[in-house]
Amino acid sequence: MMEDFDPANKIVLVHGIVSDKIGKLIDYSGKMKRSISETSIPLMDIIDTGENIEIFAELPGVKLDDFNVLLYEEYLIIEGSKVASKPDCKVNFFRMERTFTPFRRIVRLPHEVDESDISAKLKDGVLTIKIKRKR
């Protein structure tokens, strides 16, 4: 059942060959004056509670299968796409403001984190990730 699925299982700790590619992407984006490696969505807040780093990312209309979360060294990467629902009949749009493009956010976490102590939940379109700070 989907209710029993733990969203924390979506967080992939990146190592090996993939980490080299992600590292190059982060290095390249860091050299640019503007980031070309990410979009402005999902909107997110990152807070430091002293014990944990907590990330709140808005993912309205996005299902668990539509995104990935990667943790690479001090970087958190959220990427995926929002799938557009298609009308049953041919329509002409009067206005279309919702975007259905792929998204990627790469954020540097403010502190080192404990990769073994992570929890996450997706509720009401908000992904909440809690990662224990390293001491």
Side-chain angles (χ1 to χ4, degrees):
M1 280 199 303
M2 193 55 92
E3 299 89 42
D4 295 337
F5 182 78
D6 180 5
N9 290 335
K10 294 218 36 104
I11 300 174
V12 177
L13 305 178
V14 180
H15 302 286
I17 295 170
V18 175
S19 69
D20 183 52
K21 290 180 182 180
I22 291 173
K24 286 178 183 175
L25 175 66
I26 290 168
D27 289 344
Y28 182 69
S29 67
K31 292 175 185 173
M32 305 302 294
K33 292 186 183 202
R34 282 185 2 191
S35 173
I36 61 167
S37 64
E38 62 181 89
T39 62
S40 61
I41 58 173
L43 299 175
M44 62 175 54
D45 296 327
I46 301 174
I47 62 172
D48 180 355
T49 66
E51 187 173 324
N52 299 303
I53 302 298
E54 296 182 14
I55 299 102
F56 302 90
E58 291 185 358
L59 297 173
V62 177
K63 298 180 177 124
L64 283 171
D65 293 337
D66 297 336
F67 71 94
N68 292 305
V69 179
L70 307 171
L71 185 60
Y72 170 71
E73 294 177 357
E74 70 269 18
Y75 293 94
L76 181 78
I77 303 165
I78 300 175
E79 61 184 6
S81 61
K82 183 176 177 182
V83 180
S85 58
K86 296 181 181 177
D88 293 338
C89 58
K90 184 179 177 183
V91 298
N92 293 316
F93 280 91
F94 176 73
R95 179 178 294 237
M96 186 173 181
E97 296 180 348
R98 299 179 303 149
T99 60
F100 298 98
T101 57
F103 59 85
R104 176 184 294 140
R105 288 293 306 265
I106 301 172
V107 294
R108 187 174 187 178
L109 299 174
H111 299 284
E112 285 188 66
V113 294
D114 181 355
E115 296 176 350
S116 66
D117 195 348
I118 300 173
S119 65
K121 68 179 179 178
L122 180 63
K123 183 178 179 187
D124 298 330
V126 177
L127 174 65
T128 303
I129 302 170
K130 187 183 290 187
I131 311 172
K132 188 86 157 173
R133 281 182 57 175
K134 271 191 182 174
R135 293 286 171 189

